[in-house]
Amino acid sequence: MKTSSGFSIPMRQEGRNLLRDIKTKLSLLGGGKERRRWSILDTFDWRLLSAGTVLMRDRKVFELHNCVGDELLAREEFTTSLKSLYGDDFPKGTLHDKVSGPISIRAVMPRAEFIREVECYRLENKDGKTTVRLEMETLSRPVPSGKPMPFQKLLRVVALKGYERDADAASRTIASLGLEAHADTRHYAFAALEASGVTPFDYTSKIKQSLSPELTAREACRQILAASRDQMEANISGMLADIDSEFLHDFRVALRRTRSLLQLVRGVYPEELVDKFKLELGAVMRGTNRLRDLDVYLLEQDAYAKLLPKGLRPGLDLFFADLKTERKAAFKKFTREFQGAGVTRKLKAWNAFLEKGAAQAYEECPTGNAPVKVLANQLLMKRFKRIIKDGRKISNETPDEAVHDLRIQFKKFRYLLEFFKSLYDAKELDFLIKRSRKIQNVLGAFNDVCVQQETITHYLTAVDLKRAEAVQLCASLGALVAELERKRLAERKKFKAAFATLDHPSVLAVSEHLFAPSIEAPRETESVTPVSKPSAKKRTSKRAQKKPAS
């Protein structure tokens, strides 16, 4: 069965009058009605729509549809009191399999509600077989304590398999009544989102600021900082509602980007202002640290379990039960502090600065008047040279602290690439970002394992040995620490090969080409020292033509 066509019904037109006109030309049978109040579910960052699917819920009925047309991909009935659901909250089956993959660690939550009323009719052939279905559909927006507000009326002509010609004939008949074809082939959930004032794909955790090279450094920084502020604010309600851990994660990332930009772009704003906001925003960040740490551990529960033999996993369950108990207390503490006067004042002050002070010219900060491309070139070249220099010093004998420092340097370089991405050739910059991300992943995994080892070791030292399950708990965590040590060494060994993909003539040539100063800095920006432009001979040297390392 497939939908062969659809027609828009003017909102002012009464359905019964239209049916009367259709019945003068077609022998309609039936007339059953169905009324559903659907809630559209998706993650905050629209992972299901991005995967081409629409998830809807009417009390215990869950349906997954294709984004184009209205093909039903999966249907499940189950009772749950939860408004937001993780993949594992769905019963095992087709719907679970199709939803849990795309949403990953996020939870789906209600994004919009609408009422769909359908009157169903059918056409039969002379043998009494149903050949075509006609669905008169009305979509309405629920109004609290009021009558639903219709926003779309459609007449759908649905052909049954083998009777497409009958459906085409019915469509031509209906078209002759003056109804216009409905050209939108998207699922009707898109109309419901639009009617509810919800814009699909309106959130991404990535920086997507489009900067002009001629923009002053100060205005460019203001725009980047404002975009990060918007990302922070977008995540606050979900963070406080504890819908999923990614709200807190994205809030922290936006906050970290903000602090990094303030630190990296010196000379754009007065030092006392930079130091003040770094200090205050740092305090906001510290208030989220323990809760985020616990989230990370809990997300790793399945991965930890796989590291241990089955016989030792019950002890691990005890550990995670303790973490879950601690998380409840940490979340209460976090929400109390975050909504308290201290954090509110700090965020309000930061917002006031972005609205007024961030665009203001400061006599003592001439760097802010330079074209942003000049500043970006200098910062990126300087940071790139530093990570190459420091990375070359890393060996298997280098203390872990130096590796962690390098990870921080890479993170700052990555942030700069994201901030100023729109100023550069996308293909060349993506090449550089891809190489950097590979090393960042290795360094990040190494750091995570180190932190996990330290935390578990600290936890072990505090275990009450009089506890009934103490032996079981200690045996499991001891084995886990040993496995993490093996993993730590393995991640450490990966660094050299990963770094070689960045410390390569082809990448060095791209960086020199990308970050070479192409715009002269104005006199008042003498503090922004341009890096020397490489000669054409240098850019095309034999060293630069070597094949990249794998």
Side-chain angles (χ1 to χ4, degrees):
M1 186 168 66
K2 67 173 185 177
T3 299
S4 58
S5 58
F7 296 89
S8 297
I9 302 173
M11 295 303 294
R12 65 181 181 283
Q13 186 165 0
E14 289 288 340
R16 59 176 177 271
N17 293 336
L18 176 62
L19 280 173
R20 182 195 60 204
D21 294 342
I22 294 175
K23 285 178 178 177
T24 62
K25 296 177 178 294
L26 297 172
S27 298
L28 298 185
L29 300 171
K33 294 183 180 179
E34 181 184 83
R35 186 179 191 273
R36 291 277 194 184
R37 180 167 176 149
W38 291 109
S39 178
I40 301 169
L41 304 178
D42 208 329
T43 61
F44 188 57
D45 53 359
W46 302 100
R47 295 188 180 193
L48 290 179
L49 275 193
S50 297
T53 57
V54 175
L55 179 64
M56 303 194 304
R57 173 185 187 177
D58 178 14
R59 288 167 291 185
K60 64 178 182 179
V61 177
F62 292 78
E63 290 187 355
L64 187 71
H65 293 247
N66 200 322
C67 265
V68 178
D70 59 356
E71 181 187 1
L72 180 64
L73 301 174
R75 187 177 192 278
E76 192 76 60
E77 288 191 26
F78 64 96
T79 302
T80 175
S81 59
L82 299 172
K83 287 188 176 179
S84 56
L85 296 99
Y86 289 98
D88 285 344
D89 292 324
F90 291 85
K92 297 294 182 187
T94 305
L95 184 63
H96 169 275
D97 295 344
K98 289 184 178 294
V99 168
S100 58
I103 69 174
S104 185
I105 59 175
R106 296 222 70 155
V108 295
M109 60 184 192
R111 307 308 308 265
E113 280 194 349
F114 69 101
I115 297 167
R116 183 174 186 250
E117 295 174 286
V118 181
E119 290 184 46
C120 297
Y121 299 89
R122 69 180 189 278
L123 298 178
E124 293 183 350
N125 61 14
K126 61 183 179 181
D127 298 326
K129 291 184 178 178
T130 299
T131 57
V132 179
R133 281 175 45 196
L134 267 68
E135 298 177 351
M136 186 172 289
E137 171 189 283
T138 302
L139 303 182
S140 307
R141 182 168 55 83
V143 177
S145 306
K147 192 176 178 182
M149 184 77 70
F151 59 84
Q152 180 171 289
K153 291 182 180 178
L154 288 179
L155 182 64
R156 298 182 187 276
V157 182
V158 183
L160 297 194
K161 188 175 181 181
Y163 296 100
E164 287 80 6
R165 288 185 178 180
D166 299 72
D168 290 343
S171 294
R172 286 195 296 274
T173 301
I174 292 169
S176 70
L177 296 173
L179 292 183
E180 293 185 1
H182 184 66
D184 192 348
T185 59
R186 297 176 304 167
H187 190 275
Y188 47 80
F190 283 90
L193 290 168
E194 186 178 334
S196 303
V198 178
T199 305
F201 313 115
D202 59 348
Y203 174 78
T204 172
S205 60
K206 296 183 178 1
I207 289 280
K208 288 194 172 180
Q209 208 62 30
S210 182
L211 303 174
S212 165
E214 294 77 25
L215 214 58
T216 65
R218 184 173 297 108
E219 174 56 21
C221 289
R222 187 198 67 77
Q223 291 185 17
I224 295 167
L225 292 170
S228 294
R229 181 271 316 271
D230 292 345
Q231 286 185 332
M232 288 162 56
E233 290 184 344
N235 283 285
I236 287 177
S237 61
M239 192 168 71
L240 294 174
D242 205 18
I243 293 173
D244 65 42
S245 60
E246 292 306 283
F247 285 96
L248 178 61
H249 172 261
D250 285 5
F251 176 87
R252 284 169 52 88
V253 169
L255 186 55
R256 196 181 299 120
R257 282 178 180 144
T258 299
R259 297 184 69 230
S260 289
L261 186 64
L262 287 174
Q263 182 182 4
L264 292 169
V265 185
R266 290 287 183 178
V268 171
Y269 301 116
E271 288 295 308
E272 62 271 21
L273 277 177
V274 170
D275 291 342
K276 170 183 180 296
F277 286 120
K278 273 188 62 190
L279 193 66
E280 293 195 343
L281 296 177
V284 175
M285 178 69 91
R286 284 193 295 279
T288 68
N289 284 350
R290 185 56 187 160
L291 185 60
R292 178 57 190 167
D293 286 347
L294 291 166
D295 282 342
V296 171
Y297 286 119
L298 292 171
L299 289 170
E300 291 291 321
Q301 183 169 0
D302 290 343
Y304 281 170
K306 289 177 183 175
L307 292 175
L308 297 181
K310 286 185 180 179
L312 289 175
R313 291 177 188 174
L316 195 62
D317 293 339
L318 296 170
F319 170 65
F320 278 105
D322 285 350
L323 290 188
K324 287 173 183 173
T325 301
E326 185 185 350
R327 191 194 182 278
K328 286 181 182 176
F331 181 72
K332 284 183 181 177
K333 181 174 183 289
F334 159 71
T335 53
R336 185 174 62 250
E337 292 179 354
F338 191 84
Q339 296 176 94
V343 173
T344 301
R345 183 193 60 75
K346 291 179 178 72
L347 294 181
K348 194 173 177 181
W350 175 241
N351 199 41
F353 171 73
L354 289 178
E355 295 302 320
K356 294 181 181 178
Q360 181 181 327
Y362 296 94
E363 191 176 338
E364 68 273 34
C365 303
T367 301
N369 301 325
V372 62
K373 186 70 182 294
V374 173
L375 181 66
N377 282 342
Q378 185 191 26
L379 291 172
L380 283 162
M381 180 61 89
K382 178 182 175 183
R383 192 61 53 179
F384 183 74
K385 285 182 174 179
R386 178 165 177 179
I387 60 175
I388 293 297
K389 180 181 175 183
D390 291 352
R392 286 173 177 170
K393 296 176 183 174
I394 301 293
S395 68
N396 290 338
E397 290 73 38
T398 305
D400 288 353
E401 290 72 19
V403 180
H404 295 318
D405 288 344
L406 184 63
R407 182 182 65 86
I408 300 299
Q409 296 304 325
F410 262 98
K411 189 169 281 189
K412 290 176 179 176
F413 178 61
R414 175 78 179 277
Y415 284 153
L416 287 173
L417 289 174
E418 291 174 351
F419 294 151
F420 301 121
K421 185 176 181 179
S422 60
L423 298 171
Y424 298 95
D425 178 83
K427 190 175 179 181
E428 289 186 305
L429 204 70
D430 284 342
F431 170 75
L432 200 54
I433 289 174
K434 189 176 179 182
R435 296 296 177 105
S436 302
R437 187 185 295 133
K438 189 173 183 178
I439 305 169
Q440 255 197 295
N441 290 340
V442 171
L443 294 172
F446 174 75
N447 180 67
D448 289 347
V449 174
C450 291
V451 173
Q452 290 159 8
Q453 278 184 308
E454 288 177 12
T455 302
I456 295 171
T457 302
H458 178 74
Y459 175 90
L460 276 171
T461 61
V463 169
D464 181 0
L465 296 180
K466 296 178 181 176
R467 184 175 173 176
E469 314 92 342
V471 173
Q472 189 180 28
L473 183 61
C474 292
S476 296
L477 294 186
L480 182 59
V481 170
E483 282 299 316
L484 290 176
E485 175 63 11
R486 185 190 59 75
K487 196 173 174 184
R488 187 187 73 85
L489 295 174
E491 292 297 336
R492 182 69 182 263
K493 286 181 180 176
K494 291 178 185 176
F495 173 77
K496 191 173 181 180
F499 185 72
T501 65
L502 188 74
D503 187 15
H504 188 275
S506 64
V507 183
L508 300 179
V510 168
S511 69
E512 289 177 342
H513 169 63
L514 278 174
F515 308 139
S518 55
I519 304 174
E520 291 297 328
R523 173 167 291 184
E524 63 266 30
T525 63
E526 287 178 353
S527 59
V528 182
T529 307
V531 285
S532 59
K533 187 174 182 178
S535 65
K537 183 179 179 181
K538 187 175 182 179
R539 291 202 301 269
T540 56
S541 65
K542 289 183 179 179
R543 187 167 179 251
Q545 301 302 318
K546 288 184 180 178
K547 187 178 178 181
S550 57

